[in-house]
Amino acid sequence: MSLVGSSNPEYVVARVRARRGMLYSTEEYRKLTRMSPPEIARFMEESTYEAEINALGSRHGGVDLIEYALNANLAKQFEEILDWSEGELYDLIVRYLRKFDAGNVKTVIRGIYTDASREAIETDLIRAGEFDDRLIRRLLEAESIEAVVEILEGTIYGEPLAAAYEEYEETDVLVPLENAIDRAFYERLLGNLPRGEPVRQYEAFLKAEIDFRNADNALRLARSGAEIDPAEYFIDGGDLFDRDTLARLARDLDELVEYIADSDYADELGPALRELEVADSLIAFEHATDTALLNYGDKLGTRHPVSVTPVISYILAKEREVENIRAIARGKEAGLSAAEIEEDLVIT
Amino acid sequence: MIETANELGHVAMQEGEVLIEADTAAALAVGLAALAAGYAERGIGAAAVGAMAEDDDLFVNGLILTVLPETIVILALVVVFIV
């Protein structure tokens, strides 16, 4: 139950549920996999993406148009959700959406590092997070990484970035800066969560996501056999791994697979793990983690109808839709067959 | 607390008076029911406006669902006639 004036889940959930009904169905995905990129753009124009396709249609074409329209629509929808929500609900949603801010900061820093043009950086941003347009414009106008760090002073990324900047100056690699951004994001993600059963389920979901991300990274490292310290890529906050276990397990693929198979996630990931042993393909495992998260998200949406969980469930479903359409468009561009593309989609 | 209230009631009874007039009690019943209906309509109304913002066709459904808790007040009004 919400307190008067502090949070408004009823309003947000009603709007979000209506939007959820407009997401593409399995049937529509099947149609999309049989279209060429221009046809996909036209199909999108007749649905929720109309405004974005029209706005970007004169500047971009083909698969780029689809990609930018998807990003713009995702950003618009998530910004709207943040506009609608108040109080505790806003706090809970913005925790998750800050990952777009983190991504944007990284994009800007990388852009400056590689001397990319302002337009090139701007088209790659997804303006779905907490940063307002003014802050983003200032970031885009920044001419050096030092200026970016200065602009972000006062945001949650300010202090960690300032600390990491010294290390960057010494080594001239971006890793310390990017790690600082990630750490600032993940610290805020799980810190000081309010009480309540819906929030606990949300927390469980966030932890599962961190666990899966760690597992993906560890598997990649273990398979590549590269001489990288796994602890560098460790994300704190999950239940499955701690820094030492991850560092140990990332050296031995078999042991890692066994460890995951013995964990709480065995039911969801079991088949994918067996496939990993047989076919030695990481794609199946990454798909299994994605599907497990999406299934969990769907369940989240129904257990506590008037809380933050249906909103998060929609955010996940929307992200998935954007990724699916992008996979279809890119697959078509690369000349894959409909069956191959369908294998790449994550649909529940 | 309840015991004290009881005792208080007894004292009041003994003196030939009542703790609360029947009409006052009925008015209180209707008033509380109306308050409850208002609280229920707050949530439903917020959800209905949200749904309407997405799809104008939901106006009629939203309106009906929003005023449904008003039935509590109508039922409470019955009390007024039977006391």
Side-chain angles (χ1 to χ4, degrees):
Chain A
M1 193 177 79
S2 64
L3 294 168
V4 180
S6 66
S7 184
N8 58 343
E10 295 93 349
Y11 178 77
V12 182
V13 166
R15 292 202 76 157
V16 152
R17 280 204 189 281
R19 297 249 161 128
R20 206 188 162 123
M22 284 189 273
L23 293 179
Y24 289 161
S25 63
T26 323
E27 198 49 48
E28 281 163 316
Y29 279 129
R30 199 160 296 137
K31 267 190 236 158
L32 280 171
T33 53
R34 280 161 183 75
M35 292 178 186
S36 66
E39 283 172 324
I40 295 176
R42 199 159 315 133
F43 187 83
M44 284 164 65
E45 201 183 339
E46 284 158 16
S47 68
T48 3
Y49 298 95
E50 188 188 350
E52 286 77 16
I53 293 272
N54 286 336
L56 296 163
S58 57
R59 270 185 288 155
H60 305 283
V63 182
D64 282 345
L65 171 64
I66 295 172
E67 176 127 19
Y68 294 139
L70 287 171
N71 283 348
N73 186 270
L74 183 89
K76 189 184 85 184
Q77 297 224 357
F78 290 176
E79 287 279 271
E80 281 174 347
I81 294 177
L82 285 179
D83 274 351
W84 301 331
S85 36
E86 292 163 4
E88 188 187 298
L89 188 67
Y90 178 90
D91 172 56
L92 287 170
I93 297 171
V94 86
R95 275 165 195 269
Y96 189 70
L97 293 184
R98 277 203 194 107
K99 74 172 179 186
F100 292 105
D101 286 337
N104 285 344
V105 175
K106 278 193 217 169
T107 309
V108 170
I109 290 181
R110 274 180 211 158
I112 293 172
Y113 190 72
T114 56
D115 280 327
S117 72
R118 190 197 146 137
E119 285 73 36
I121 302 175
E122 193 166 6
T123 42
D124 278 338
L125 296 182
I126 303 175
R127 301 171 182 227
E130 203 181 14
F131 290 176
D132 55 15
D133 279 347
R134 235 186 95 231
L135 185 60
I136 288 186
R137 210 169 37 241
R138 283 176 61 203
L139 281 177
L140 283 169
E141 277 160 8
E143 285 184 353
S144 66
I145 294 177
E146 195 175 2
V148 172
V149 176
E150 239 164 66
I151 292 167
L152 290 173
E153 213 171 86
T155 67
I156 58 167
Y157 307 100
E159 270 178 47
L161 266 182
Y165 185 71
E166 287 168 22
E167 205 180 322
Y168 160 75
E169 271 191 318
E170 281 166 24
T171 54
D172 201 39
V173 286
L174 290 179
V175 178
L177 290 174
E178 292 184 354
N179 280 347
I181 296 167
D182 278 340
R183 231 170 284 134
F185 165 67
Y186 281 107
E187 262 169 33
R188 291 293 184 300
L189 187 63
L190 288 169
N192 288 328
L193 275 170
R195 285 152 181 275
E197 176 58 25
V199 177
R200 270 211 10 246
Q201 289 198 359
Y202 178 37
E203 188 184 5
F205 157 75
L206 292 176
K207 281 189 171 163
E209 184 167 312
I210 292 178
D211 282 341
F212 288 163
R213 179 107 8 115
N214 274 332
D216 279 349
N217 282 343
L219 280 171
R220 260 185 232 156
L221 284 175
R223 241 178 46 116
S224 69
E227 282 296 318
I228 306 168
D229 181 12
E232 287 261 309
Y233 291 87
F234 175 73
I235 304 162
D236 204 16
D239 285 333
L240 187 57
F241 300 105
D242 58 40
R243 197 174 289 270
D244 296 335
T245 21
L246 190 82
R248 183 168 51 81
L249 291 169
R251 282 194 205 101
D252 188 350
L253 184 63
D254 295 332
E255 215 180 311
L256 179 64
V257 169
E258 212 170 284
Y259 183 79
I260 300 173
D262 283 339
S263 69
D264 292 342
Y265 301 116
D267 289 345
E268 287 108 344
L269 303 180
L273 284 172
R274 272 191 292 286
E275 203 171 315
L276 185 68
E277 276 167 354
V278 179
D280 205 29
S281 150
L282 273 182
I283 297 169
F285 181 77
E286 281 169 19
H287 265 208
T289 55
D290 283 349
T291 318
L293 276 181
L294 191 62
N295 278 332
Y296 191 78
D298 284 345
K299 268 191 256 161
L300 266 184
T302 46
R303 276 188 203 150
H304 294 275
V306 187
S307 71
V308 64
T309 52
V311 184
I312 297 299
S313 173
Y314 168 73
I315 288 176
L316 291 177
K318 178 75 191 175
E319 276 185 280
R320 183 58 49 202
E321 178 183 278
V322 165
E323 262 164 50
N324 278 341
I325 299 175
R326 184 179 301 147
I328 293 173
R330 291 279 173 215
K332 280 285 159 187
E333 191 188 30
L336 298 178
S337 71
E340 280 171 308
I341 295 175
E342 259 171 57
E343 250 175 52
D344 259 344
L345 303 182
V346 182
I347 306 169
T348 48
Chain B
M1 167 98 179
I2 296 172
E3 279 168 14
T4 3
N6 259 342
E7 271 171 34
L8 205 74
H10 281 301
V11 174
M13 295 291 200
Q14 275 164 8
E15 287 170 10
E17 286 173 23
V18 280
L19 191 63
I20 185 169
E21 294 287 338
D23 288 351
T24 321
L28 216 59
V30 178
L32 286 173
L35 213 61
Y39 181 73
E41 280 166 17
R42 179 194 86 98
I44 303 170
V49 171
M52 275 179 233
E54 290 297 321
D55 185 354
D56 290 336
D57 299 343
L58 291 169
F59 177 73
V60 179
N61 288 356
L63 193 70
I64 293 173
L65 289 173
T66 308
V67 297
L68 265 190
E70 211 61 42
T71 50
I72 311 176
V73 187
I74 297 171
L75 289 175
L77 268 180
V78 174
V79 177
V80 175
F81 297 109
I82 59 175
V83 285

